[in-house]
Amino acid sequence: MEDTLGTVSSHYARHGALTARILDALKSAGKNTGALGLEDLAPLDQFHLRGHQATRELAAEAGLAPGQRLLDIGSGIGGPARMLAQEQGVAVTAVDLTEAFCRTAAELSALLPEAAAPAFLCADATRLPFAADSFDVVWTQHAAMNIPDKAALYRECLRACRPGGRFLVYDVVEGPAGDPYFPVPWASSPRGSFLVAAPELRRLVLAAGFHELAFRDLTAAALAWNRERQARMAEAESPPALGPHLLMGPEFPQMIANVGRGLEEGRLGLAMGLFAKPD
Ligand SMILES: C[S@@+](CC[C@H](N)C(=O)[O-])C[C@H]1O[C@@H](n2cnc3c(N)ncnc32)[C@H](O)[C@@H]1O
């Protein structure tokens, strides 16, 4: 287990001096790093399929209300957490396994003018450092695929959520056509990747004790988005200055090519679910 946590966090922390590299890239792209906004960071800090558009759609689906306490699990460098805090007025606590990501998340948040900054903590999602019933909404985008013990993950999500609260999950799932090609953005090899098919994800969340409000296969939307992204990259004279390659290094183009191939061949899928904790 500790071995898996180490494999996963070293996969993400592969490319050092993260905040400095991001700031240099923002300056080179002509951004004023003294007056950054969510949209400036969105090309690089929304580290999941369908980018910031997905986070906004999920926020609308979850029916968030200002003042709610939201826990973002596997928060990366904090893009979704900042967007939810600023646009929805929710009080966000964010946890992530990768220490370097937690540090960069806090450093980037300190550069934004709005004060609704999330609190970032370094912790393992299967052992959350919170009392039971602490949050109105528990939220996770693209983290379960790194977590082998999903029963423990969803049990912790249920425990952290207050009775009547919501749980939102948005994750890459296994497709019917076999294993993905590696590397992918979440894992260099099968050692860090723990995908389940969408029906199994849903079964695990229900088995933890949540009730289902909505569950959708979003693979077609992921495919369309990815084709558009690859077409844009093929047409561009040079690679984009801002993007998740700043986090993941020179292997990133290969990683997204493998995601594209995996989606096209039915090896990967995308699912979202909205659930409630019984009263
Ligand atoms: C692909 S990134 C997604 C980041 C963020 N949710 C987003 O959409 O921008 C996956 C994140 O999950 C985190 N993660 C993986 N396993 C975890 C665990 N056991 N506990 C907490 N975070 C974990 C990784 O460190 C990484 O930051």
Side-chain angles (χ1 to χ4, degrees):
M1 181 62 185
E2 292 308 320
D3 205 34
T4 299
L5 298 182
T7 301
V8 170
S9 58
S10 31
H11 167 77
Y12 287 111
R14 59 177 48 216
H15 205 34
L18 189 50
T19 308
R21 188 158 358 88
I22 290 172
L23 291 179
D24 285 348
L26 286 163
K27 283 178 199 150
S28 305
K31 308 286 182 190
N32 175 358
T33 53
L36 289 174
L38 291 178
E39 302 296 333
D40 297 319
L41 295 176
L44 62 99
D45 72 359
Q46 299 272 341
F47 193 10
H48 49 259
L49 287 165
R50 304 178 61 246
H52 66 292
Q53 172 196 346
T55 306
R56 287 197 174 122
E57 284 172 15
L58 295 169
E61 175 109 25
L64 302 179
Q68 284 182 323
R69 300 155 302 168
L70 182 146
L71 173 64
D72 181 16
I73 296 180
S75 45
I77 63 165
R82 280 186 289 273
M83 182 164 273
L84 295 171
Q86 292 194 22
E87 295 187 347
Q88 306 296 322
V90 290
V92 182
T93 302
V95 297
D96 198 279
L97 178 69
T98 305
E99 218 173 308
F101 276 10
C102 296
R103 216 172 22 249
T104 292
E107 286 165 355
L108 291 178
S109 297
L111 295 172
L112 294 189
E114 296 297 324
F120 292 100
L121 272 80
C122 192
D124 172 14
T126 62
R127 283 181 287 179
L128 291 172
F130 307 110
D133 307 341
S134 293
F135 297 95
D136 301 300
V137 182
V138 176
W139 182 281
T140 184
Q141 289 178 250
H142 284 41
M145 60 238 200
N146 285 131
I147 301 178
D149 190 351
K150 294 189 207 312
L153 167 66
Y154 299 132
R155 216 169 33 239
E156 278 295 81
C157 293
L158 185 85
R159 190 182 64 76
C161 190
R162 70 157 167 84
R166 299 282 186 265
F167 173 51
L168 183 128
V169 55
Y170 178 75
D171 260 300
V172 177
V173 291
E174 180 183 274
D179 294 335
Y181 301 101
F182 289 93
V184 283
W186 63 92
S188 310
S189 75
R191 280 186 61 219
S193 180
F194 306 96
L195 301 182
V196 292
E200 176 63 0
L201 188 158
R202 178 192 221 163
R203 190 196 67 74
L204 285 160
V205 175
L206 296 175
F210 285 107
H211 288 169
E212 184 177 314
L213 301 175
F215 193 84
R216 272 202 292 283
D217 184 333
L218 296 175
T219 307
L223 248 175
W225 179 83
N226 203 61
R227 281 180 187 157
E228 200 184 304
R229 165 168 76 169
Q230 286 185 310
R232 234 185 4 254
M233 283 170 75
E235 273 169 23
E237 280 170 18
S238 53
L242 301 176
H245 63 278
L246 296 167
L247 287 62
M248 302 311 293
E251 260 194 311
F252 191 68
Q254 185 60 51
M255 292 173 173
I256 56 170
N258 286 341
V259 168
R261 209 174 151 201
L263 286 167
E264 296 289 346
E265 294 181 13
R267 294 166 187 273
L268 294 173
L270 176 67
M272 74 73 65
L274 180 64
F275 299 87
K277 178 168 173 174
D279 278 315

